[in-house]
Amino acid sequence: MNKGFFTGQLAKAPVFRDGGKAPVCYFTLICNEYAGTDQGGDAQERKVAIPFTAFGAKAKAINEHVFVGDQLMIEYRLANNDREMEGQTEYGFSFILDDFDFGAPGKIKREKLAQTQQRG
């Protein structure tokens, strides 16, 4: 089994579907990673964005509690996602969430928390 870990910020609002067999949530995490140095010796970064899929209670939790910019620490596995297109097999894969932890809140969540504290 192929397992991995990824830490990043939510790039855009999750897409949630609660129908069929189990709730499902599609979301993309993005982070910057070291990409070497340039000619002048300055560190370079590149953006890495990974689309994840979560199911069940974890899908609901992400949909309800995670906002754009929030950090998540993900444990995932790779799963084949092959399909037939016009008589030929298209090979693909999906990043399936196994577990996660909430990380640092992003700007949107911090603003919501500040509003709640001002009212209370």
Side-chain angles (χ1 to χ4, degrees):
M1 179 179 296
N2 292 307
K3 291 186 90 62
F5 299 90
F6 188 81
T7 299
Q9 286 74 34
L10 190 67
K12 58 184 178 181
V15 175
F16 181 74
R17 295 194 180 105
D18 191 3
K21 296 178 186 176
V24 62
C25 183
Y26 303 98
F27 61 98
T28 300
L29 295 183
I30 192 166
C31 76
N32 293 329
E33 70 178 17
Y34 178 72
T37 57
D38 63 12
Q39 299 285 348
D42 294 326
Q44 300 294 301
E45 291 184 339
R46 66 175 160 242
K47 286 187 180 181
V48 176
I50 299 179
F52 291 96
T53 305
F55 295 97
K58 292 173 184 169
K60 284 184 179 181
I62 289 170
N63 182 60
E64 293 172 4
H65 302 291
V66 181
F67 298 92
V68 172
D70 287 356
Q71 183 184 54
L72 288 176
M73 292 158 281
I74 302 289
E75 180 180 343
Y76 67 89
R77 62 187 156 82
L78 285 175
N80 283 2
N81 188 14
D82 304 340
R83 62 179 181 260
E84 293 294 320
M85 298 271 303
E86 299 178 12
Q88 292 198 342
T89 303
E90 294 284 329
Y91 296 99
F93 56 91
S94 296
F95 294 88
I96 306 298
L97 179 132
D98 283 333
D99 204 3
F100 76 98
D101 285 316
F102 295 105
K107 181 181 178 186
I108 294 170
K109 187 176 281 178
R110 288 192 311 268
E111 289 172 354
K112 287 180 183 273
L113 292 170
Q115 289 173 358
T116 302
Q117 290 174 349
Q118 289 173 356
R119 285 188 222 141

